[in-house]
Amino acid sequence: MKKIAVAIVHGMGNQRENFAHEMKDLLNEVIEEKGRSTGKSANEMVSIVPIYWADVFEQGEADLYKVLVEDKNLRLKELRRFIIHYLADAIAYQPVETAKHNYHLVHRRVAESLKLLSEQAGPEAPLCVIAHSLGAVIASNYFYDLQIKPENVNFPLENLTPLEKGDSLSLFYTMGSTLPFWSLRYDQFDRPINIPSSKMEERYPGLKGEWINFYDRDDLLGYPLKEVSPEYRRAVTEDREINAGGVLDSWNPLSHAAYFTDRDVLEPIADGIVRLWVHVNKVER
């Protein structure tokens, strides 16, 4: 029985290594519910690994905050700290023609986590990626380079497993995605990643991958994707509007951080994972 490999990528901001702890527990619970008819537990069906990259920029952002805000005694310090961590992540990640240093450092973190996931779930395990905010951009860029622009990859490809190379990529769930902003960097934003990958379609005929993009109309950083271009309209299965969060954050911009534990996000993801597991393992339900 093949497990489904699940990677969770965080977004911009002052993140911690345990950012996915609660989502992982809740997602396992929902998978357990949805997969009960298979006779398997969630632990038998999935392996979940968080992809943590925030510390690539953490020290530089802390230094910037000190010299610009603390040393100059500027007002609204906590708001400025928040803005620095959010804006600096997005700016620092972007490659430039003369240097792709941070871009590659972040992608190496992704590669390291996928290696761990490959060891846990199996080298050919079907891959599901859940990505939040800037993490959706990072995940998209990472697999775009592997699928379409391998010359941009800054690490050896020959010894990577199919999972690590993105060959087994089958499900993509984006939450509060800032990916539409990146369309402004290009004359034509017309090369979305393939979900599922062509290798998975060849190996499992009839496999239905999906790309669901969750957004909340109160989230100032999360947007629909299908309207970005005709190519994205075809590639993205659905832009799904939800009301993320509870009474304190569902009605305001704080909803941007609420996707991870929202049932309206967890249930469709669990449905997709269980459906994929059933398909690749040829299990009758």
Side-chain angles (χ1 to χ4, degrees), residues 91-106:
I91 294 169
Y93 167 67
Q94 289 307 302
V96 294
E97 291 183 3
T98 55
K100 296 184 178 180
H101 181 65
N102 287 329
Y103 181 87
H104 287 145
L105 284 178
V106 171

Side-chain angles (χ1 to χ4, degrees), residues 23-159:
M23 184 183 202
K24 180 177 177 180
D25 288 346
L26 291 171
L27 184 58
N28 271 322
E29 288 178 13
V30 183
I31 291 171
E32 193 89 27
E33 295 170 13
K34 303 282 186 179
R36 192 164 288 130
S37 63
T38 68
K40 299 293 183 182
S41 68
N43 287 334
E44 292 175 294
M45 297 176 72
V46 299
S47 291
I48 303 176
V49 168
I51 296 179
Y52 177 68
W53 54 265
D55 59 332
V56 171
F57 307 131
E58 189 171 8
Q59 188 58 55
E61 290 171 359
D63 292 343
L64 196 65
Y65 174 80
K66 182 179 184 304
V67 298
L68 294 183
V69 181
E70 286 190 338
D71 290 355
K72 298 299 183 183
N73 196 29
L74 298 185
R75 298 175 61 191
L76 304 173
K77 287 184 172 55
E78 288 309 308
L79 181 58
R80 291 179 188 275
R81 187 195 301 273
F82 173 84
I83 289 172
I84 285 174
H85 278 290
Y86 265 73
L87 292 183
D89 278 354
I91 294 169
Y93 167 67
Q94 289 307 302
V96 294
E97 291 183 3
T98 55
K100 296 184 178 180
H101 181 65
N102 287 329
Y103 181 87
H104 287 145
L105 284 178
V106 171
H107 285 200
R108 285 184 187 179
R109 291 296 180 85
V110 177
E112 289 165 4
S113 297
L114 292 182
K115 177 177 174 58
L116 176 61
L117 190 52
S118 176
E119 292 167 354
Q120 290 186 9
E124 298 182 356
L127 177 60
C128 165
V129 175
I130 305 167
H132 178 241
S133 186
L134 180 61
V137 178
I138 291 169
S140 177
N141 285 346
Y142 181 86
F143 292 109
Y144 177 89
D145 287 350
L146 288 169
Q147 290 181 356
I148 301 167
K149 290 276 190 178
E151 63 271 21
N152 288 345
V153 179
N154 195 35
F155 47 82
L157 296 176
E158 56 269 15
N159 295 322

Side-chain angles (χ1 to χ4, degrees), residues 159-180:
N159 295 322
L160 299 184
T161 65
L163 188 157
E164 293 172 77
K165 288 190 291 186
D167 290 347
S168 67
L169 180 62
S170 304
L171 301 172
F172 194 29
Y173 299 103
T174 51
M175 313 176 294
S177 175
T178 57
L179 193 55

Side-chain angles (χ1 to χ4, degrees), residues 190-241:
D190 58 359
R191 298 292 295 274
I193 60 175
N194 299 314
I195 306 293
S197 75
S198 58
K199 299 290 178 64
M200 284 298 285
E201 289 184 304
E202 292 170 8
R203 184 167 185 183
Y204 298 101
L207 174 70
K208 293 189 181 301
E210 66 179 2
W211 179 350
I212 297 179
N213 177 57
F214 299 96
Y215 72 97
D216 186 314
R217 65 174 57 201
D218 296 308
D219 174 10
L220 298 178
L221 294 172
Y223 293 87
L225 273 175
K226 290 177 76 69
E227 302 310 313
V228 167
S229 70
E231 291 77 16
Y232 272 84
R233 188 174 296 116
R234 288 191 290 268
V236 177
T237 309
E238 179 185 358
D239 280 321
R240 184 171 299 188
E241 182 181 344

